[in-house]
Amino acid sequence: MKQVAILGATGSIGASALDVIARHPQRFRANVLAAHRSVDALVALCARFKPELAIIADPAFEAALREKLRSAGLPTRVASGSAALTEAASGDLCDTVVAAIVGAAGLESTLAAARAGKRLLLANKEAVVMAGPLLLDALRAGGGPIIPIDSEHNAIFQCLPSSPSNQGQHSDFAAAGVQRILLTASGGPFRGKRRDELRAITPDQACAHPNWSMGRKISVDSATLMNKGLEVIEAHWLFGARADQIEVVVHPQSIIHSLVEYADGSVLAQLGNPDMRTALAHALAWPQRIDSGVAPLDLLKLGQLNFQAPDRATFRCLDLAYAALAAGGTAPVILNAANEVAVTAFLGQSLPFLAIAELIEETLAAIPATPVSDLESLIYADLTARQQAQRIMQRSYC
């Protein structure tokens, strides 16, 4: 029986993970559930899954969570704050951690799980983007496996000639005969549109993804192609691939989740219906296979698969991510922080859609990248970038 902590239990990844867990009660128990502020949703999950511990990340909501659990007659213990997340991720209540907290907020608990040797099921790509070297150090110290659960990196994991090491990094692509990784992208809701058509885009339009059901932040990232840019950086750290070995290909159907090309001309691809439960079932049971609840892929009904190059001139965030990876050091931290500020402002209708890339570019230009030394330096770079992005936004867009 695997004891699972789901950090981000009320989000889309958390819902998919809990769906898979509910299908296999003899194999998994959701023993720790954590949410940001969604008290009612967390209480409902506690009533269904009976975890030992429920964590609300914002301490201001701890009293409300405690009272509602008490009123419901549930014995689940309550904790709050970032320290509680870190303690739960590294403590005895779980052996598997689903790291699905959105954005930089999930960094410390992800590193804690890695250092503690947990089986780390990683959905929080920002933790890798910001702290790739620190995450690899933590994995080496803890000795546990890391299995990505975003569809693209999980597909790469499955297509590589052997499973990545416990450190999460494939050490020698050349020796394995790997030529390159092809990350597929749906193209988002605005695939095929030109810049002129994107000037008056609303948040609801940007969040209307054609294939995937996701949270609003990641939906906007998909619409700008920043999501794919972050995945390029993530693939570099998780699999040891150079930037020139990682190519992005637009695949509108979202059936092929990624591909690995080999020196002999072979290309291995992982296919499946666009449903996060496939990757989660794989990661929870790896190296075994279990039912995910996802409908089988019907190729005859599908009929065809299409591919095209991304429109880098219109969706500039992809090249900004490649540039941050090339710059190294804290540049990816600055990129991620500026993007989070920009997306939050766009969702709040205080920043135009096309200004997201502009704000990120200006923030990167304003702050020199420095070497990554420790977690404190990353947190400082993140805060500095957020403050700079806010200043630029106030000056230029408000």
Side-chain angles (χ1 to χ4, degrees), residues 207-390:
C207 291
H209 197 281
N211 300 335
W212 295 95
S213 175
M214 305 182 294
R216 288 175 73 79
K217 193 268 181 184
I218 192 172
S219 294
V220 175
D221 284 349
S222 178
T224 64
L225 286 192
M226 177 56 84
N227 190 46
K228 209 53 51 179
L230 297 177
E231 288 174 6
V232 168
I233 300 173
E234 186 180 4
H236 164 72
W237 290 113
L238 288 178
F239 304 114
R242 303 187 310 269
D244 63 354
Q245 292 178 302
I246 308 168
E247 182 177 340
V248 174
V249 178
V250 173
H251 168 49
Q253 292 88 356
S254 297
I255 296 298
I256 297 179
H257 299 299
S258 276
L259 311 91
V260 176
E261 181 184 287
Y262 290 87
D264 60 6
S266 299
V267 179
L268 300 187
Q270 189 267 334
L271 288 73
N273 285 314
D275 191 315
M276 288 306 304
R277 291 176 296 173
T278 299
L280 281 155
H282 168 264
L284 282 165
W286 180 82
Q288 298 176 320
R289 299 275 182 169
I290 59 173
D291 173 46
S292 66
V294 178
L297 183 62
D298 188 339
L299 290 175
L300 295 179
K301 182 178 179 180
L302 184 65
Q304 65 179 3
L305 301 174
N306 303 103
F307 306 92
Q308 62 193 67
D311 180 356
R312 294 172 181 263
T314 300
F315 302 98
R316 298 176 51 243
C317 286
L318 180 58
D319 281 344
L320 292 174
Y322 270 102
L325 177 57
T330 55
V333 181
I334 298 166
L335 173 92
N336 180 73
N339 180 63
E340 290 190 12
V341 170
V343 171
T344 299
F346 168 70
L347 289 172
Q349 301 186 32
S350 58
L351 189 73
F353 181 79
L354 290 177
I356 293 174
E358 295 171 2
L359 179 60
I360 296 166
E361 184 175 37
E362 288 187 58
T363 306
L364 283 166
I367 305 174
T370 58
V372 173
S373 55
D374 51 30
L375 182 58
E376 287 69 28
S377 68
L378 288 182
I379 293 172
Y380 177 78
D382 176 75
L383 177 61
T384 301
R386 290 173 190 275
Q387 292 171 339
Q388 181 64 38
Q390 291 283 1

Side-chain angles (χ1 to χ4, degrees), residues 70 112 243:
R70 186 195 64 77

Side-chain angles (χ1 to χ4, degrees), residues 81-217:
S82 59
L85 289 168
T86 299
E87 182 178 350
S90 58
D92 296 335
L93 290 180
C94 65
D95 49 58
T96 300
V97 174
V98 178
I101 296 174
V102 175
L107 175 59
E108 291 188 59
S109 55
T110 299
L111 291 175
R115 283 193 295 268
K118 307 296 183 181
R119 175 185 286 231
L120 179 58
L121 276 53
L122 186 68
N124 181 304
K125 58 178 57 68
E126 292 86 356
V128 189
V129 169
M130 292 179 64
L134 300 185
L135 179 60
L136 296 185
D137 287 346
L139 288 163
R140 280 188 283 268
I146 181 170
I147 307 175
I149 54 175
D150 60 317
S151 62
E152 295 82 2
H153 298 90
N154 184 263
I156 294 165
F157 185 101
Q158 296 189 52
C159 291
L160 285 172
S162 59
S163 301
S165 66
N166 284 351
Q167 290 81 4
Q169 187 176 27
H170 198 287
S171 58
D172 192 345
F173 268 25
V178 176
Q179 294 283 82
R180 60 177 176 158
I181 287 171
L182 293 99
L183 285 170
T184 56
S186 69
F190 308 134
R191 178 178 52 84
K193 293 188 179 296
R194 314 303 297 180
R195 285 182 64 82
D196 300 358
E197 302 174 82
L198 301 177
R199 298 192 183 282
I201 290 299
T202 67
D204 285 345
Q205 288 174 315
C207 291
H209 197 281
N211 300 335
W212 295 95
S213 175
M214 305 182 294
R216 288 175 73 79
K217 193 268 181 184

